[in-house]
Amino acid sequence: MYKRILLKLSGEALRGDTDFGIDPKTVLEIAKQIKDVHDLGVEVGIVVGGGNIWRGKTAEGLGMDRAQADYMGMLATIMNGLAVQDSLEHLGVPTRAMTALPINQVAEPYIRRRAIRHLEKGRVCIFVGGLGSPYFSTDTACVLRATEIGAEIVLMAKNGTEGVYDSDPRKNPNAKLYDSLTFSEILAKNLAVMDSTAASLCKDNKLNIIVFNMNSKGNIVKAVKGEKIGTLVKVE
């Protein structure tokens, strides 16, 4: 259904059943799902979060300077991105890691036209380092990169969550799962799907998002094929 997608992987999804860090077996299983999508001929961009290693907002709450904490979070996304890259290449999938923070020894700098060319050549592009500036989340980086590369949809893969609920399903067993929402509803209801900057960017650029549970095997392929899964967040 889609020729070019942007997949947002939360950092928590990479830790598996552990409390912290990166679980290689979990990352490999995720890579296998991405390979299945790549084998369909779909051009894949990926933005990886860093919450399994570091959270800037949490550190700020403990008294750390917010900008400093955010830069540390960007470094965490680079570590996660390299782990995903390694697993994909282990499966024979060509990749490029592209970073918003200069770190030439391990990843090439993000350049929009170069990224598009990589995608056209069948390489999976892994965008790391956030936006290279503090105060912006990886959700915002995800939407901006998707817009820049001309992705048709953003697939927001969640760790153990089926989609968007009206309240936290971990705390409220009666939480309602939405089939579809608009970005205006997300902003008005203050739903914890993404930050307001990311939601506004999607709305302004007419970019839809599918929020789904990536822990169910095959869900990424289902989303790409247009099967009903998770929650569709759409432009009005």
Side-chain angles (χ1 to χ4, degrees):
M1 186 170 179
Y2 305 107
K3 176 63 177 174
R4 182 178 294 169
I5 67 167
L6 196 291
L7 175 65
K8 169 65 185 346
L9 294 175
S10 67
E12 287 84 351
L14 305 183
R15 72 185 184 196
D17 295 327
T18 64
D19 295 328
F20 179 81
I22 301 170
D23 177 37
K25 291 182 179 179
T26 298
V27 177
L28 183 59
E29 288 304 313
I30 294 171
K32 289 177 180 177
Q33 293 193 58
I34 297 170
K35 181 180 185 298
D36 291 339
V37 173
H38 181 265
D39 289 346
L40 295 174
V42 178
E43 297 172 2
V44 182
I46 302 172
V47 168
V48 189
N52 56 318
I53 299 174
W54 183 260
R55 281 192 170 276
K57 286 187 177 180
T58 302
E60 183 192 23
L62 296 174
M64 179 175 279
D65 177 76
R66 173 64 188 275
Q68 186 82 334
D70 281 356
Y71 280 119
M72 293 174 68
M74 293 176 216
L75 295 175
T77 70
I78 294 172
M79 294 173 66
N80 284 338
L82 293 178
V84 173
Q85 180 184 38
D86 182 77
S87 291
L88 283 170
E89 294 192 339
H90 178 77
L91 298 172
V93 179
T95 69
R96 289 294 186 274
M98 307 189 79
T99 175
L101 285 176
I103 183 167
N104 296 331
Q105 288 85 348
V106 296
E108 63 182 74
Y110 172 75
I111 300 172
R112 174 181 170 271
R113 288 181 179 271
R114 185 180 292 176
I116 292 172
R117 187 60 178 152
H118 286 322
L119 293 169
E120 291 172 344
K121 289 185 175 181
R123 299 164 183 155
V124 172
C125 285
I126 305 167
F127 304 118
V128 297
L131 291 177
S133 299
Y135 304 103
F136 291 100
S137 71
T138 50
D139 286 344
T140 301
C142 165
V143 174
L144 185 57
R145 293 289 181 254
T147 304
E148 287 180 310
I149 66 173
E152 299 165 86
I153 193 79
V154 170
L155 304 182
M156 189 165 285
K158 294 293 185 180
N159 184 31
T161 303
E162 297 300 327
V164 183
Y165 292 82
D166 61 353
S167 59
D168 190 342
R170 295 182 178 89
K171 298 178 181 178
N172 178 15
N174 298 317
K176 173 189 173 184
L177 174 65
Y178 291 104
D179 287 330
S180 65
L181 284 165
T182 66
F183 291 105
S184 293
E185 288 175 315
I186 282 181
L187 293 168
K189 297 178 181 180
N190 197 28
L191 297 174
V193 184
M194 63 187 76
D195 61 73
S196 59
T197 303
S200 296
L201 271 173
C202 285
K203 182 179 177 182
D204 293 343
N205 292 284
K206 298 179 172 56
L207 182 65
N208 293 344
I209 288 180
I210 299 174
V211 184
F212 65 99
N213 182 4
M214 69 166 302
N215 293 344
S216 298
K217 191 173 182 180
N219 268 0
I220 301 177
V221 171
K222 289 179 182 178
V224 169
K225 289 184 174 180
E227 298 181 25
K228 180 58 185 173
I229 183 174
T231 303
L232 172 64
V233 186
K234 58 187 179 180
V235 180
E236 293 83 343

